[in-house]
Amino acid sequence: MGSSAVLDAQAIQWDLTNLFSGFDDPKFLAVIDESSQAAEAFAKQYRGKLCQLSGDALAKAFQDLEACLVPLYEASQFVHLQFSIDTANTEIQHWVQTMDELETVVQNHSLFFNLELGALESERCEALLAESSALGAYAYTLRRIVQNAQYYLTEAEEKIVNLKTINGAQAFENLYNELTASFQFTLTVDGEEKTMNGAQLRALRQHADPAVRNTAMRLFFERYETHAIPLSKSFLAIIKDSVQSCQLRGYASPIDVMNQRNDLPTKVVDNLHAVTQASNTLVQRYYRLKKKILGLDSLTLSDIYAPMPTADTVYSFAQAKAIVLDALADFDADFHAKARRMFDENRIHAPVMPTKQGGAYCSSSTHRVNPYVMLNFLGRSRDVSTMAHELGHAIHAMYTQELPLVQQHAILPLCETASVFCEMIVSERLYVQASSDAERQALLTDKLEDLFATSHRQNMFSQFEQVVHGKLSQGPVATETLCELYTEQLHTLFGDSVTYPDGYRWEWLTIPHFISVPFYVYAYNFGNLLVLGLYQRYRENPAAFMAPFKRLLAMGKSQDPMTICQTVGVDLADPAFWESSVAYIDDLVSQLEELCEPSTQK
């Protein structure tokens, strides 16, 4: 697929010298050598004294902590960026382990900070904030520390947890990542035998030939089933660790850990789940339509991303770049300028490589360094949208660079806001530029499938997580039971609109978010539906929308999500807001039905 696009992307590789020139860079080695000593000196200066400090002195303590963490965060970013494009490199693996251990040491030296501040009475906390304008910059962070004190263990216990995690949950996660990154698959495609990694194999879900699609996914899941013992043991060990941590810290439920981290009321998250699940009928309605369009007797889960019969547009990297930048230029000059910097400063890594991680991401560390974006560019319209999505993350990060380090990275449900918004802008540009109904049909199907993947599919993942965490809190769970539980969730989402190849019962084992950050996935749905609602407000009044929207982005994690969203007039507690976002998806399905009506008539 798109060989010219793949070749075009080969030259797009990031320049990390803004961080370090290499692992032998004296600045990098200095960070490795000095970080633990800096953290130890910080602890010696402030341990046992925080609650007696004045407001200005406490603000200085926050600043000194950030001074310890900034170089470490940048070094960690450098190591993990390198690892993501060459996961099999033993030298890089060594540095990943070294960095993990160093971060644990620094974290243990600074553990006292939140634990001591958690002992502040609310009245004392407010008095300190009232007396010091400097501390005001950390107001939300300080209040959150005090509010969350009920979930802290003792300092000694927290240190033990951190140290044990290196050879416990973190070790299992590393095993999972390294093993799955090593998977190579051989398949004959279009008469040519090819060796691919997992991301390349899964991309064949967009191949025109159903046999290729089905064979690719069969091979993919068979590999995970073959390695089910180490992978499922890793999965279960990590989830059990998460469940036990939840119980030890006194959280009401496993998902409440993430709800507290995201500072979201449980009722808001429950509303999100309920509204999304109630609209699973849209997914089923769409895939019944797609089966007719493709003329298939049976649409399997391997076919849900099958291309439209006329969806043969392939974009070079240069074309994708032009589309994204032109769309952002029409949207907002500042968005365009920030996105352009990412290209001009060589902050993007685009080619598909044998030992490169699949998917795409944006990495940001500190205010001193602009973000980096990793892509696996294959020239599809989805790759154009993904480019816009990850650049949106980068733009968001640039807007928060004036905030203190602890507030720069938006809370998970809001961290998708700029990314999905940019994706919407570019998707609309592609649709407007389409020259035929067939091309518009293909773009609409791509858009709907992306929306379903980001909202309804992630909602299904989150529901699965809740069931699994609940089961594990009651006792051991067999791997076969996990397969059955996951299959039940698939049927809840897709109903009878598709058929289910046996291999998909193992799909839960292929989702790294389940083990890297439990309950992370609902943030995708939250961000997606939030932006659909915001986008409708933008289209109603673009001039009035932009200033509040930019303020929202620039707030980072300086307020709770409920307050931040009030900046643009959104009440997250109102189910009607989420329902309006689902209505937008409903309109797209109706639009596709109208566009396809002549070709789907019997």
Side-chain angles (χ1 to χ4, degrees), residues 528-550:
N528 199 47
L529 295 188
L530 172 63
V531 171
L532 293 185
L534 293 179
Y535 191 70
Q536 293 175 84
R537 296 184 180 215
Y538 159 71
R539 293 206 300 190
E540 290 167 2
N541 193 341
F545 178 83
M546 286 309 300
F549 184 56
K550 289 180 181 179

Side-chain angles (χ1 to χ4, degrees), residues 30 35 41 77 79 111 171 188 197 207 230 316 332 389 417 451 539 582:
S35 289
Q77 182 186 29
V79 170
L111 262 175
T188 298
N197 62 21
H207 196 278
S316 69
D332 180 77
H389 182 102
T417 307
L451 289 172
R539 293 206 300 190
V582 169

Side-chain angles (χ1 to χ4, degrees), residues 209-419:
D209 185 348
V212 172
R213 297 194 295 265
N214 294 331
T215 301
M217 295 312 295
R218 177 178 57 78
L219 290 174
F220 183 70
F221 291 126
E222 280 179 355
R223 186 64 55 85
Y224 280 82
E225 182 179 3
T226 299
H227 293 83
I229 292 177
L231 293 178
S232 65
K233 293 298 183 184
S234 297
F235 176 95
L236 288 166
I238 292 168
I239 303 306
K240 185 64 175 179
D241 180 79
S242 174
V243 168
Q244 290 176 336
S245 176
C246 165
Q247 294 169 338
L248 286 170
R249 295 177 184 279
Y251 287 98
S253 67
I255 197 173
D256 197 47
V257 178
M258 186 56 73
N259 293 346
Q260 291 294 330
R261 176 174 169 179
N262 290 335
D263 202 4
L264 283 171
T266 298
K267 184 63 177 175
V268 169
V269 179
D270 289 345
N271 284 341
L272 174 73
H273 282 123
V275 169
T276 308
Q277 182 159 324
S279 67
N280 282 349
T281 52
L282 289 176
V283 178
Q284 297 160 21
R285 179 175 144 204
Y286 168 77
Y287 281 112
R288 291 189 191 101
L289 175 63
K290 183 165 186 177
K291 182 172 72 172
K292 291 181 181 180
I293 295 171
L294 295 178
L296 296 174
D297 294 330
S298 175
L299 186 79
T300 77
L301 281 173
S302 301
D303 300 316
I304 61 174
Y305 299 117
M308 290 296 99
T310 56
D312 55 358
T313 302
V314 175
Y315 301 88
S316 69
F317 188 88
Q319 288 172 325
K321 171 184 173 182
I323 290 168
V324 171
L325 289 180
D326 287 350
L328 292 179
D330 289 345
F331 172 64
D332 180 77
D334 195 39
F335 268 58
H336 172 262
K338 285 178 165 59
R340 186 164 197 93
R341 287 187 67 180
M342 296 294 293
F343 293 100
D344 292 345
E345 296 177 4
N346 297 322
R347 297 183 172 276
I348 299 173
H349 196 282
V352 176
M353 299 166 63
T355 57
K356 183 177 179 179
Q357 286 181 354
Y361 68 77
C362 175
S363 168
S364 57
S365 57
T366 76
H367 65 283
R368 303 194 306 192
V369 182
N370 281 335
Y372 289 89
V373 161
M374 188 199 82
L375 306 172
N376 277 279
F377 188 84
L378 291 169
R380 306 159 300 185
S381 63
R382 278 193 175 90
D383 294 315
V384 182
S385 296
T386 298
M387 179 187 293
H389 182 102
E390 300 306 335
L391 287 173
H393 279 304
I395 291 166
H396 197 165
M398 292 183 199
Y399 270 113
T400 66
Q401 287 174 331
E402 299 301 316
L403 292 171
L405 181 67
V406 292
Q407 296 176 358
Q408 284 176 16
H409 300 283
I411 290 172
L412 284 177
L414 298 188
C415 75
E416 297 294 328
T417 307
S419 57

